[in-house]
Amino acid sequence: MTDTTISNAIAVRDTGPGALVAQHRQDIELVMPSHMQKRVGAWIRTTQGLLRRDPKLMEAAQNDPGQFMAVLMDAANLGLTPGTEQYYLVPRWNKKKGCTEVTGVRGYQGEIELMYRAGAVSSVIVEVVYEADRFEYRPGRDERPLHEIDWDAEHRGELRLAYAYAVMKDGATSKVVVLNRGHIAKAKAKSDSASGKYPHLSPWATDTEAMWMKTAAHRLTKWVPTSAEYMREQLRAHAEVAAELRPAPVTPGPQPAGLTDTDEGPIEAEFVDDEEA
């Protein structure tokens, strides 16, 4: 049974948003990065399964199917899977409409995925620091943070910091982003899902550590390429440099007057000492 057959079978059972997702399969596949297009069937089934398991999300999608599809198209365009730590689907209260609607929240794994996909980094490190951890980082002195964890400790205390950095393909370390509770609180306050009518449904409430990491990873994107366009620009630049270094073709100059194609050029000779002649 093919992905298309399975998706259509599921769509028969789903008469609401689930069927809508299946109906827009071609549109979703069209905006997806090429490496994701072969998995569009699994992508759709994951979304449909999430709707069936989450009544609040199903209700929000039914309230505004257009908004729901706009969120899914955004996830598809980024090449991220909805309903995972790459890309959360969250019911959000819309005051003007007087009902919930679906909003998309990019997760920390989604931010990291976009950095890797750009092709400029070899590794991305995103971590949180708890009160019991040892953490040291002095800009200008330290290339990377020192983070030591007592893995035997039953409780590491409260969340204290989040940090992120990337190791580039040439071995260099990117800017190190370190955020404290105040930075995290400001980011959370700007989140529609966390400050809406249903904050308990927000990933800020259901997956707090991951959202701390997402905030640090998102700040890192200011310093690390996250678009495949970066790789295309790099390839284009390499091609231009190679073209400049390529030797220009030699065009034969005009032949000396009186010399035809059948004439022989100068005969090679060597000087002979007169005394030996």
Side-chain angles (χ1 to χ4, degrees), residues 224-261:
V224 177
T226 58
S227 170
E229 181 62 26
Y230 168 83
M231 179 57 67
R232 287 193 289 269
E233 290 295 333
Q234 290 292 98
L235 293 174
R236 188 178 299 115
H238 289 316
E240 291 175 355
V241 171
E244 291 178 0
L245 296 177
R246 190 179 300 121
V250 178
T251 54
Q255 294 183 342
L259 186 64
T260 65
D261 291 340

Side-chain angles (χ1 to χ4, degrees), residues 201-212:
L201 300 177
S202 168
W204 283 101
T206 61
D207 208 349
T208 303
E209 180 181 287
M211 291 307 291
W212 277 54

Side-chain angles (χ1 to χ4, degrees), residues 18 21 28 33 40 47 49 58-59 63 76 87 98 122 137-138 159-160 209 213 223 230 239 244 246-247 261:
V21 178
I28 293 170
V40 63
T47 305
M58 174 68 84
E59 179 184 355
N63 290 337
Y87 197 96
S122 60
Y137 175 67
R138 184 180 298 175
L159 282 167
R160 175 184 158 214
E209 180 181 287
M213 296 170 70
W223 310 96
Y230 168 83
E244 291 178 0
R246 190 179 300 121
D261 291 340

Side-chain angles (χ1 to χ4, degrees), residues 78-81 84-88 105-117 214 217-218 221 226:
L78 293 171
L80 304 178
T81 303
T84 68
E85 289 186 340
Q86 288 189 348
Y87 197 96
Y88 296 95
V105 179
R106 197 183 303 177
Y108 83 95
Q109 289 187 0
E111 301 282 4
I112 293 173
E113 169 67 17
L114 295 178
M115 291 184 219
Y116 277 120
R117 200 180 301 162
K214 173 264 169 79
H218 185 68
T221 61
T226 58

Side-chain angles (χ1 to χ4, degrees), residues 19-174:
L20 187 65
V21 178
Q23 291 167 10
H24 285 80
R25 178 191 176 105
Q26 290 185 345
D27 298 325
I28 293 170
E29 187 174 2
L30 185 64
V31 301
M32 275 183 167
S34 57
H35 74 282
M36 289 283 292
Q37 291 173 352
K38 293 181 179 179
R39 296 183 293 174
V40 63
W43 191 96
I44 290 174
R45 291 196 300 276
T46 298
T47 305
Q48 292 172 327
L50 183 64
L51 288 169
R52 291 194 298 273
R53 293 191 303 271
D54 191 334
K56 289 288 187 182
L57 183 63
M58 174 68 84
E59 179 184 355
Q62 290 173 333
N63 290 337
D64 192 337
Q67 166 68 14
F68 173 58
M69 285 307 305
V71 169
L72 290 187
M73 295 297 283
D74 177 60
N77 184 53
L78 293 171
L80 304 178
T81 303
T84 68
E85 289 186 340
Q86 288 189 348
Y87 197 96
Y88 296 95
L89 297 181
V90 185
R92 173 184 63 180
W93 179 257
N94 188 310
K95 293 181 180 179
K96 293 182 179 180
K97 298 176 184 176
C99 63
T100 57
E101 63 182 10
V102 178
T103 186
V105 179
R106 197 183 303 177
Y108 83 95
Q109 289 187 0
E111 301 282 4
I112 293 173
E113 169 67 17
L114 295 178
M115 291 184 219
Y116 277 120
R117 200 180 301 162
V121 304
S122 60
S123 63
V124 180
I125 292 82
V126 184
E127 291 290 347
V128 290
V129 180
Y130 285 84
E131 291 176 334
D133 299 349
R134 179 190 174 195
F135 180 84
E136 292 183 7
Y137 175 67
R138 184 180 298 175
R141 183 197 70 177
D142 304 327
E143 182 182 14
R144 302 173 188 176
L146 170 66
H147 184 194
E148 295 182 352
I149 301 171
D150 181 2
W151 296 109
D152 290 325
E154 187 174 352
H155 299 289
R156 292 165 60 192
E158 298 294 325
L159 282 167
R160 175 184 158 214
L161 302 169
Y163 67 93
Y165 65 91
V167 179
M168 312 306 287
K169 285 288 182 67
D170 61 1
T173 302
S174 72

